[in-house]
């Protein structure tokens, strides 16, 4: 079973920031938080991952709470092309390629 | 670098037949994982190969099998196809065991079983 909980769906206005929450209250000390997204009928795409510090790359920012029990993925300026299912996954890095996907959050970016 | 490629992209089979799907990872990647995606069950892990050895296996029946070749290319086979095997089959590669081990997914093979 997935070790994360995400809202099933969210809407966001184009050009605004999209904030996608994820709960992972049972995360272990050596587990990272990963985010992937899947645009309709394509393979999932890696977005970002982090252990305990906030992370930022060209796609998004990841904010992890101090107790590491939850995190938020931020898309700073959402576009229509960001409409996708977003998956939050916790796993040990560098150990295995296995990913356990939950149901994810369907983000609908609206004009 | 070329991305992960999967062949064929679409496939139609009938119940009882068998099927082989192919995955070519990103050059230099030695880890390949397979996933099944259906509307009802979502994305489910099938198995993972690293240096020609199966490292992990998901909760699927023995009709699902795979292998990896010395060039890291991988195949998965499904025997005695059932209607419920209709799905999008995704392959992912990564640079494991190195750090920065994000998974790079291919476009998938859409299998329809009639």
């Amino acid at each position: 079973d997935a070790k994360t909980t995400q809202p099933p769906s969210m809407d966001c206005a184009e050009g605004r920031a999209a904030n996608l929450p994820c709960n992972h209250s049972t995360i272990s000390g050596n587990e990272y938080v990963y985010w992937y997204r899947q645009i309709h009928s394509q393979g999932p795409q890696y977005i970002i991952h982090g252990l305990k510090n906030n992370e930022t790359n060209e796609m998004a920012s990841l904010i992890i709470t101090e107790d590491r029990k939850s995190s938020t993925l931020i898309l700073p300026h959402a576009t229509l092309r960001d409409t996708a299912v977003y998956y939050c996954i916790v796993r040990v890095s560098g150990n295995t390629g296995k990913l356990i996907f939950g149901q994810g959050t369907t983000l609908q970016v609206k004009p | 670098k070329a991305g992960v490629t999967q062949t064929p992209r679409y496939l139609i089979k009938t119940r009882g037949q068998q099927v082989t799907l192919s995955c070519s990872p990103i050059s230099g990647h030695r880890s390949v994982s397979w996933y099944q995606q259906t509307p009802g069950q979502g994305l489910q892990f099938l198995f993972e190969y690293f240096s020609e050895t199966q490292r992990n296996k998901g909760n699927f029946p023995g009709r699902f099998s795979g292998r990896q070749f010395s060039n890291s290319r991988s195949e998965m086979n499904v025997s005695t196809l059932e209607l419920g095997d209709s799905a999008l089959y995704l392959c992912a590669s990564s640079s494991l065991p190195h750090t920065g081990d994000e998974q790079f997914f291919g476009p998938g093979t859409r299998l329809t079983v009639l």
Side-chain angles (χ1 to χ4, degrees):
Chain A
D1 289 341
K3 299 171 66 174
T4 62
T5 304
Q6 300 176 252
S9 63
M10 293 181 64
D11 289 343
C12 177
E14 188 177 20
R16 304 296 295 270
N19 297 286
L20 292 92
C22 179
N23 287 321
H24 31 80
S25 59
T26 61
I27 191 170
S28 301
N30 62 346
E31 287 183 315
Y32 286 68
V33 180
Y34 284 75
W35 283 83
Y36 285 77
R37 73 180 183 183
Q38 186 175 26
I39 296 170
H40 183 62
S41 295
Q42 298 181 20
Q45 175 191 24
Y46 165 81
I47 301 173
I48 197 168
H49 75 284
L51 183 62
K52 53 185 176 181
N53 297 321
N54 299 338
E55 301 288 344
T56 295
N57 63 20
E58 65 279 2
M59 288 183 67
S61 294
L62 173 60
I63 309 297
I64 302 174
T65 58
E66 193 169 342
D67 63 8
R68 301 209 323 123
K69 292 184 177 182
S70 65
S71 60
T72 301
L73 177 75
I74 301 173
L75 308 179
H77 305 287
T79 70
L80 298 179
R81 289 177 296 179
D82 292 321
T83 293
V85 179
Y86 287 77
Y87 297 97
C88 169
I89 299 166
V90 295
R91 59 187 285 258
V92 176
S93 175
N95 183 28
T96 171
K98 178 179 179 180
L99 298 174
I100 300 176
F101 288 87
Q103 296 304 307
T105 295
T106 299
L107 174 68
Q108 182 72 49
V109 180
K110 299 186 174 181
Chain B
K1 275 186 179 179
V4 177
T5 57
Q6 293 187 244
T7 56
R9 293 292 312 278
Y10 302 90
L11 204 50
I12 299 175
K13 292 285 187 179
T14 56
R15 281 180 298 174
Q17 287 187 310
Q18 75 165 12
V19 66
T20 299
L21 311 181
S22 180
C23 171
S24 292
I26 290 173
S27 177
H29 285 188
R30 293 159 62 194
S31 170
V32 174
S33 299
W34 288 89
Y35 295 82
Q36 180 196 65
Q37 186 170 28
T38 60
Q41 299 298 318
L43 272 158
Q44 293 187 288
F45 172 79
L46 278 159
F47 24 67
E48 176 192 10
Y49 286 88
F50 180 80
S51 292
E52 302 179 66
T53 301
Q54 187 180 90
R55 285 170 41 130
N56 274 298
K57 190 176 191 303
N59 188 26
F60 280 82
R63 299 185 297 106
F64 292 81
S65 63
R67 59 178 175 169
Q68 186 180 33
F69 302 95
S70 58
N71 62 358
S72 295
R73 189 177 69 85
S74 178
E75 289 181 347
M76 67 163 284
N77 184 276
V78 187
S79 63
T80 318
L81 284 166
E82 302 177 359
L83 294 179
D85 297 332
S86 293
L88 180 66
Y89 289 88
L90 292 156
C91 160
S93 76
S94 77
S95 59
L96 276 170
H98 305 291
T99 57
D101 63 333
E102 59 263 35
Q103 303 289 304
F104 294 88
F105 283 81
T109 294
R110 173 76 61 183
L111 172 65
T112 301
V113 182
L114 302 175

